[in-house]
Amino acid sequence: MSESTETRRRTWGEALAVYLTPRQLIILVMGFASGLPLLLTLTTLSYWLSTVKVDKTSIGLFLLVGTPYTWKFLWSPVMDRIRLPVLGAMMGQRRSWLIVVQILLAVSVFVMGQTDPVHHAVLTALAAVAVAFFSASQDIVIDAYRIELLSAAEQVAGAGTTQVGYRLGMILAGAGATAMSDYMAWSIVYTVMAAAILACAVITLFLPEPKHPAGNRAPQGYAEFLETAVVAPIMDFVRRDGWWVILAFILLYKYGEAFGGAMANPFYHEMGFSGTEIALVSKVYGVIATLVGGVFGGFLVARFGLYRTLMIGGVFQAVTILLMSALAWRQTQGADHDELMLWLMGAIAAENVTAGVASAALVAYLSGLCNSAYTATQYALFSSLMAFGRTILSAGSGWLIDYLDNNWTLFWAITVVMAVPGLALLIWISRLYPDEKRIAPAPAAS
């Protein structure tokens, strides 16, 4: 063929070596900090609500508390360019913002756990919005930190490492919280999560500050801030050919997975699985499968290219959702609990491995899209679109399953169709920018 086995081994070895550096360990920790608070306003919250008998339509609407994730690009220029007084001089631009946000995030998680979603749902929702706001703000800093800390050659591996850390954080906030809820009050569960976030803040004190691009100085005055921190990053992106196609792809690539995932925990609960079983299979076993997929996705990008990996991950993350539909169908046919557990394990394994591959490739793509002069602002814009699909566009998932009269078999089949537009847009982008060695599309000629 085109290359020998020895060359192929050397290529895979080089792909592995890039993961074994101190910088990748730092990215692993950052990924953990980023993944930890996410589920506290998503699936863990939805499970909490389902255990206290909140109706599914309301559970779906609770996804709207994640709205700050979709709007974080609005305040990302402030965090990108404005230096905090005192702390900024002591710790640097990225770390100073990160430590402040992490402390506020821990406080908001603790407060959320003390609320009563049955009798004071508004207070729970407001606290959840605060958690989402500070979590989204943390993501702004962490994403910029990763892109600035790693060289261009390390970005693909960094995307895989980020996914590993991210999923480890989700294990704690998902499996840990769900399992603990079988033995202790939710107020204590959220207190433990708040303590874990504070531990991340302590680690932040010992991390290095990344080097910022030359000329990325704090703006002098309001007019210069608008020009350099707001207008320039946006104009840099919209001058690129097909920029709107890229934004639509980012929005829709993982939409099918997000829409179904919004109702995953209520689905597991209605299938008769206990909190401990959900934690073990979905939150531990499933997240481990995602870790495997995330690392494998990094290898695939390095070995076979970005577009191919995005397509492989996208197709299979859609198709494997049908296993959830099969699980629901088997339940209607009177399958016993042990058989349903085997179906759940198979569905979770397949779905999460492919989702991990897709996520790692997508993070690598988004990182490459960023101009190093506007790292935090541009990545916040891209990830906000992803969050829009996960929150706003997925808020109707609870209404849909109620409308289908709890026909989970049909519900999961519908979510597969929702993945098709994103894959079509990927084909379009690959034709706009066939040279995938340049992950970031070059600005269009003026």
Coordinates of all heavy atoms in Angstrom, one line a residue, residues 241-242 245-246 307-308 311 365 423-436 441:
D241 N -14.9 32.9 4.0 CA -15.9 32.3 3.1 C -16.8 31.3 3.8 O -16.3 30.5 4.6 CB -15.2 31.6 1.9 CG -14.5 32.6 1.0 OD1 -15.0 33.7 0.8 OD2 -13.5 32.2 0.4
G242 N -18.1 31.4 3.6 CA -19.0 30.5 4.2 C -19.1 30.5 5.7 O -19.4 29.5 6.3
V245 N -22.2 29.1 7.2 CA -22.3 27.7 7.1 C -21.6 27.0 8.3 O -22.0 26.1 8.9 CB -21.7 27.1 5.8 CG1 -21.8 25.6 5.7 CG2 -22.4 27.8 4.6
I246 N -20.4 27.6 8.6 CA -19.6 27.1 9.8 C -20.4 27.2 11.1 O -20.5 26.3 11.9 CB -18.3 27.8 9.9 CG1 -17.4 27.6 8.6 CG2 -17.5 27.4 11.1 CD1 -16.2 28.4 8.5
Y307 N -11.9 16.0 8.9 CA -13.3 15.9 8.3 C -13.8 14.4 8.4 O -14.9 14.2 8.7 CB -13.3 16.4 6.9 CG -13.1 17.8 6.7 CD1 -12.4 18.4 5.6 CD2 -13.6 18.7 7.7 CE1 -12.2 19.7 5.5 CE2 -13.4 20.1 7.5 CZ -12.7 20.6 6.4 OH -12.5 21.9 6.3
R308 N -12.9 13.5 8.1 CA -13.3 12.1 8.1 C -13.7 11.7 9.6 O -14.7 11.0 9.8 CB -12.1 11.2 7.7 CG -11.9 11.2 6.2 CD -10.8 10.2 5.8 NE -10.5 10.3 4.4 CZ -9.5 9.5 3.8 NH1 -8.8 8.7 4.5 NH2 -9.3 9.6 2.5
M311 N -17.1 13.1 10.4 CA -18.1 12.4 9.7 C -18.4 11.1 10.4 O -19.5 10.7 10.7 CB -17.8 12.2 8.2 CG -18.9 11.5 7.5 SD -20.5 12.3 7.5 CE -20.1 13.8 6.5
Y365 N -11.6 21.1 15.9 CA -12.0 22.0 14.9 C -12.3 23.4 15.4 O -11.8 24.4 14.8 CB -13.3 21.4 14.2 CG -13.9 22.3 13.1 CD1 -13.2 22.4 11.9 CD2 -15.0 23.0 13.3 CE1 -13.6 23.2 10.9 CE2 -15.5 23.8 12.2 CZ -14.8 23.9 11.0 OH -15.3 24.7 10.1
L423 N -24.7 16.9 9.6 CA -23.8 16.1 8.7 C -23.8 16.6 7.3 O -22.8 16.6 6.6 CB -24.3 14.6 8.7 CG -24.2 13.9 10.1 CD1 -24.8 12.5 10.0 CD2 -22.8 13.9 10.6
A424 N -25.0 17.1 6.8 CA -25.0 17.7 5.5 C -24.1 19.0 5.5 O -23.4 19.2 4.5 CB -26.5 18.0 5.2
L425 N -24.2 19.8 6.5 CA -23.4 21.0 6.6 C -21.9 20.7 6.7 O -21.0 21.4 6.1 CB -23.8 21.8 7.8 CG -25.1 22.5 7.7 CD1 -25.6 23.0 9.1 CD2 -25.1 23.6 6.7
L426 N -21.5 19.5 7.3 CA -20.1 19.1 7.3 C -19.6 18.8 5.9 O -18.5 19.2 5.6 CB -20.0 17.9 8.2 CG -18.6 17.2 8.2 CD1 -17.5 18.2 8.8 CD2 -18.6 16.0 9.1
I427 N -20.4 18.2 5.1 CA -20.0 17.9 3.7 C -19.8 19.2 3.0 O -18.8 19.4 2.2 CB -21.1 17.1 3.0 CG1 -21.2 15.7 3.7 CG2 -20.8 16.9 1.5 CD1 -22.3 14.8 3.2
W428 N -20.7 20.2 3.2 CA -20.6 21.5 2.6 C -19.3 22.2 3.0 O -18.5 22.7 2.1 CB -21.8 22.4 3.0 CG -22.0 23.6 2.2 CD1 -21.1 24.3 1.4 CD2 -23.1 24.4 2.2 NE1 -21.6 25.4 0.9 CE2 -22.9 25.5 1.4 CE3 -24.4 24.3 2.8 CZ2 -23.8 26.5 1.1 CZ3 -25.3 25.3 2.6 CH2 -25.1 26.4 1.7
I429 N -18.9 22.2 4.3 CA -17.7 22.8 4.8 C -16.5 22.1 4.2 O -15.5 22.8 3.8 CB -17.7 22.8 6.3 CG1 -18.7 23.7 6.9 CG2 -16.3 23.1 6.8 CD1 -18.9 23.6 8.4
S430 N -16.5 20.8 4.1 CA -15.3 20.1 3.5 C -15.1 20.5 2.1 O -14.0 20.4 1.6 CB -15.5 18.6 3.7 OG -16.6 18.1 2.8
R431 N -16.1 20.9 1.4 CA -15.9 21.3 0.0 C -15.5 22.8 -0.1 O -14.8 23.2 -1.0 CB -17.2 21.1 -0.8 CG -17.6 19.6 -1.0 CD -18.9 19.4 -1.7 NE -19.2 18.0 -1.9 CZ -20.3 17.5 -2.4 NH1 -21.3 18.3 -2.7 NH2 -20.4 16.2 -2.5
L432 N -16.0 23.6 0.9 CA -15.5 25.0 1.0 C -14.0 25.0 1.3 O -13.3 25.9 0.8 CB -16.3 25.7 2.0 CG -17.7 26.3 1.7 CD1 -18.3 26.9 2.9 CD2 -17.5 27.3 0.6
Y433 N -13.6 24.2 2.2 CA -12.2 24.2 2.7 C -11.6 22.8 2.6 O -11.5 22.1 3.6 CB -12.1 24.7 4.1 CG -12.6 26.1 4.3 CD1 -13.9 26.4 4.7 CD2 -11.7 27.2 4.0 CE1 -14.3 27.7 4.8 CE2 -12.1 28.5 4.1 CZ -13.4 28.7 4.5 OH -13.9 30.0 4.6
P434 N -11.3 22.3 1.4 CA -10.8 20.9 1.2 C -9.5 20.7 1.9 O -9.1 19.5 2.2 CB -10.7 20.8 -0.3 CG -10.6 22.2 -0.8 CD -11.4 23.0 0.1
D435 N -8.7 21.7 2.1 CA -7.3 21.6 2.7 C -7.5 21.5 4.2 O -7.4 22.5 4.9 CB -6.4 22.7 2.3 CG -5.0 22.5 2.9 OD1 -4.7 21.4 3.4 OD2 -4.2 23.5 2.8
E436 N -7.8 20.3 4.7 CA -8.1 20.2 6.2 C -6.8 20.3 7.0 O -6.9 20.4 8.2 CB -8.8 18.9 6.5 CG -8.0 17.7 6.2 CD -8.8 16.5 6.6 OE1 -10.1 16.4 6.4 OE2 -8.2 15.5 7.1
P441 N -10.2 28.1 8.6 CA -10.4 28.7 7.3 C -9.7 30.1 7.2 O -9.8 30.9 8.1 CB -11.9 28.7 7.1 CG -12.5 28.8 8.4 CD -11.5 28.0 9.3

